[in-house]
Amino acid sequence: MTILSPYAAWLAALESGFVDDAAQRYAVEWLESCYRGVLAEQPATPGVYLWGPVGRGKTWLMDRFFSSLQSADVPARRLHFHHFMQQLHRRLFQLTGIEEPLQVLAQELSAEVQVLCLDELFVSDIGDAMLLGRLLRHLFEQGLVLVTTSNQPPEGLYEDGFNREQFLPAVAAMTECMQVVAVHGEQDHRLHPGRQQQRYWVNEPAALAAVFEQLAGTKKNTEPLMLGNRSIPVLGCSKGMLWCRYADLCEQPLAAQDFIALCDQFEQILLSEVPRLSCNSRQNPIARGTEDGTAQVAAGDRVLPALSRQDDGVRRFIALVDECYDRGIPVYINAAVAMDALYTDGALAFPFRRTLSRLKEMQLARFGEK
């Protein structure tokens, strides 16, 4: 079997029709250097931190890097960042009572893999910020090579977060042990190349019925779906396909792990009655307090960005699209407004830009091809 290095894989993509991009070329050169350093088992091989706007090919480049490692039998792991954090919290709970649990966890992880690839690094929680501040230093001390993608540079992560000084060790560790590469090309590569395939409609409820019949046939089970301990109303369910209303999936108290479980079961998701998600009415600013039980660092009361009453649902919608995108699962949507008008302002405008870009890529026939 021919093993394509990251740079060779990128050149092959150019030959197949990908658009040449100077920012991508610079990024893939650093990934190539990291790849060759890992193969040569060079000590202290720097990882790579790819950051930039949505759609610039960061995830695609990292996935080519990961694929090259797999082909070369290098022990590596590739995870979406929120999956990694869930595994981290679960393992730390199991290590309760152990002295220096983060150091133990870092030793375990570095014994299993040589390279860790994390997609969509984004920190908004003080607990996660404090954990990463300590964990990354331990991982780098163990010699683990980290490759990540993010929409923000290391110094921009958790920028306005309370007790941000607790996260600064993570920023220092990343800038010291990783090559930070801005992928700021002018092209949004999610929009091309490829034949269009409509998976988004505005006020056409019959469209999803036609999609369901085309892909699943006439067999349509409408029994509620159990997701965790919650019963989810279903418009249609067939082998590998689920059809629900937005309110039933995104306005119930579901969490990211529920959408992970959902994508374990289905390969196509249909979502009806998606409303305009922006909302002009705002709740009053809210204040919260938190405290890390280990380090005894009080976060205190502080004012958080104002949220609309719809934003909890929007967060779940973002989590659903993220999980489907990461799995290559197409989402078919009938909405009240055009895609660009779904969420135009509000506290979640920054993360929703990534969601919008991913929905646009889902309008390509190549998306979801196995």
Side-chain angles (χ1 to χ4, degrees):
M1 179 179 64
T2 302
I3 299 175
L4 290 180
S5 72
Y7 194 80
W10 184 71
L11 291 177
L14 292 184
E15 292 177 1
S16 70
F18 271 44
V19 176
D20 197 352
D21 183 316
Q24 278 195 3
R25 184 182 293 271
Y26 180 70
V28 80
E29 287 172 351
W30 278 107
L31 290 171
E32 180 81 7
S33 176
C34 179
Y35 169 75
R36 296 197 176 280
V38 169
L39 290 188
E41 298 185 353
Q42 295 176 355
T45 296
V48 181
Y49 186 110
L50 302 174
W51 75 277
V54 296
R56 269 51 186 180
K58 302 181 298 295
T59 296
W60 187 91
L61 290 169
M62 186 185 73
D63 284 346
R64 301 290 77 72
F65 170 80
F66 178 68
S67 180
S68 297
L69 294 176
Q70 285 187 307
S71 298
D73 292 326
V74 174
R77 185 172 301 166
R78 190 266 194 215
L79 292 166
H80 193 281
F81 180 68
H82 75 247
H83 288 189
F84 173 73
M85 293 307 300
Q86 287 175 349
Q87 293 182 12
L88 172 61
H89 285 291
R90 185 165 56 245
R91 183 59 182 143
L92 285 177
F93 178 78
Q94 295 169 345
L95 293 173
T96 299
I98 300 295
E99 187 176 356
E100 295 290 344
L102 284 173
Q103 186 171 3
V104 172
L105 192 150
Q107 291 169 346
E108 291 176 347
L109 186 57
S110 59
E112 296 170 1
V113 299
Q114 188 175 351
V115 182
L116 177 64
C117 298
L118 297 179
D119 192 28
E120 301 291 356
L121 179 59
F122 179 76
V123 182
S124 60
D125 178 82
I126 179 61
D128 289 349
M130 294 176 67
L131 283 178
L132 287 171
R134 300 193 295 268
L135 176 65
L136 289 183
R137 180 63 64 181
H138 289 311
L139 289 174
F140 292 137
E141 288 173 353
Q142 294 292 325
L144 185 138
V145 176
L146 180 64
V147 173
T148 68
T149 71
S150 179
N151 296 134
Q152 300 168 300
E155 63 273 14
L157 293 168
Y158 198 56
E159 188 170 22
D160 298 318
F162 193 83
N163 271 346
R164 187 174 186 266
E165 65 273 9
Q166 301 298 318
F167 185 65
L168 295 181
V171 175
M174 286 185 284
T175 54
E176 177 184 340
C177 299
M178 304 175 73
Q179 177 66 37
V180 178
V181 180
V183 188
H184 278 168
E186 296 180 359
Q187 297 280 345
D188 186 339
H189 294 275
R190 289 176 179 162
L191 305 183
H192 58 74
R195 177 172 54 87
Q196 295 288 312
Q197 178 170 330
Q198 186 174 11
R199 294 189 175 107
Y200 189 100
W201 293 266
V202 177
N203 291 323
E204 292 186 41
L208 293 189
V211 169
F212 191 93
E213 183 175 348
Q214 176 188 357
L215 298 178
T218 57
K219 295 181 180 179
K220 185 166 71 170
N221 180 6
T222 57
E223 293 182 4
L225 171 73
M226 291 305 298
L227 200 56
N229 61 352
R230 298 195 175 275
S231 177
I232 307 298
V234 168
L235 296 175
C237 183
S238 185
K239 184 178 180 181
M241 179 172 296
L242 178 69
W243 180 13
C244 290
R245 297 181 182 88
Y246 172 88
D248 295 326
L249 267 185
C250 299
E251 293 181 357
Q252 290 215 53
L254 300 174
Q257 59 264 29
D258 295 310
F259 296 127
I260 293 172
L262 191 75
C263 291
D264 287 340
Q265 298 181 59
F266 301 102
E267 298 177 355
Q268 312 266 356
I269 304 292
L270 281 64
L271 200 60
S272 287
E273 301 176 24
V274 178
R276 183 175 184 269
L277 302 176
S278 295
C279 184
N280 293 327
S281 62
R282 298 287 176 199
Q283 294 177 332
N284 291 329
I286 57 176
R288 286 183 192 149
T290 186
E291 183 176 2
D292 182 85
T294 302
Q296 294 296 310
V297 177
D301 293 332
R302 74 274 194 194
V303 175
L304 299 178
L307 299 174
S308 78
R309 294 185 182 279
Q310 289 181 280
D311 277 338
D312 282 344
V314 178
R315 288 184 190 277
R316 296 186 192 101
F317 180 73
I318 290 172
L320 173 64
V321 173
D322 278 352
E323 188 63 29
C324 289
Y325 181 87
D326 204 44
R327 303 279 197 101
I329 295 174
V331 181
Y332 299 79
I333 291 174
N334 180 53
V337 296
M339 196 182 296
D340 286 329
L342 269 177
Y343 194 92
T344 55
D345 61 87
L348 302 177
F350 180 80
F352 200 84
R353 284 199 292 271
R354 182 183 72 235
T355 300
L356 184 62
S357 179
R358 291 181 163 187
L359 289 175
K360 288 180 178 178
E361 186 177 358
M362 287 183 185
Q363 310 311 302
L364 298 177
R366 63 176 169 82
F367 184 84
E369 291 180 349
K370 305 298 183 183

